Amino acid sequence: MSHSGYNETKVQVRVMRTLEIRKAGMEDGATVARLIRASFQQQAELLHISETAYPNYVAFETEEKAQSRVVHTEVKLLFVDAVPIGTIGSHHKDEVGHIERLAVLPGHRGNDYGRILLEHAEAELSAAGCKVIHISIVADFHRLKEYYEALGYRQQRRAAFAALPFEVLFLSKSL
């Protein structure tokens, strides 16, 4: 009972959101870079990576790099109520697709937006004739590995690269 003598009832209300996924253009380079930098900032901090030491790490995406990716790969933006909150990149050669830079702003995580972007990219790669999709993540990020495994990805191999201070885990999913 509440203090007023009435029973309290908690009601969960789901707010309807307008979602839009669209292809990024050259004019979206700054937006794509901002989304990626904000989304991967915590990773860089956890890995103790600085932009000075590792300027090519995903967390230090620049507008110029994002624009180059827009030209050479398929980059999508996810808008929620007309506000850009996520991005994903994909490309393929023959029957092999690659997904990269899946990014959702931290304040919007936990709402399936990453899954929505990933499934959108997978569907486009499948329509392009891909039979398998590859992704790569920081090998020690176990929760991220579990996230991708729950979506059907399976570990293929781990590798160390001289240019990176961590091992990379490669995962794939058959379509």
Side-chain angles (χ1 to χ4, degrees), residues 103-165:
V104 175
L105 292 175
H108 293 274
R109 293 180 185 159
N111 295 302
D112 281 336
Y113 297 137
R115 181 188 53 76
I116 289 167
L117 276 167
L118 189 64
E119 288 176 355
H120 180 85
E122 289 173 348
E124 287 192 338
L125 289 169
S126 178
C130 292
K131 303 292 185 213
V132 65
I133 297 174
H134 296 291
I135 61 170
S136 61
I137 62 172
V138 175
D140 289 335
F141 288 171
H142 302 292
R143 283 184 53 209
L144 190 57
K145 177 185 176 230
E146 290 170 1
Y147 172 79
Y148 283 113
E149 286 177 338
L151 295 172
Y153 287 82
R154 297 294 169 251
Q155 178 177 336
Q156 298 304 309
R157 67 183 175 97
R158 282 175 80 117
F161 296 94
L164 297 172

Side-chain angles (χ1 to χ4, degrees), residues 78-94:
L78 172 63
F79 294 82
V80 175
D81 296 333
V83 176
I85 61 98
T87 183
I88 194 169
S90 65
H91 56 93
H92 67 91
K93 181 172 174 144
D94 302 323

Side-chain angles (χ1 to χ4, degrees), residues 20-32:
E20 176 192 6
I21 297 175
R22 73 165 172 80
K23 183 174 175 27
M26 286 290 287
E27 69 280 4
D28 297 310
T31 299
V32 171

Side-chain angles (χ1 to χ4, degrees), residues 36-79:
I36 291 171
R37 288 178 75 97
S39 296
F40 284 87
Q41 178 183 357
Q42 184 180 18
Q43 278 192 8
E45 292 169 1
L46 289 170
L47 295 166
H48 306 290
I49 295 177
S50 71
E51 189 167 3
T52 304
Y54 299 97
N56 292 321
Y57 184 63
V58 64
F60 311 119
E61 182 87 338
T62 64
E63 181 176 354
E64 294 76 23
K65 288 177 191 174
Q67 287 174 327
S68 176
R69 285 186 326 92
V70 165
V71 170
H72 297 97
T73 65
E74 191 72 20
V75 177
K76 301 292 181 159
L77 286 165
L78 172 63
F79 294 82

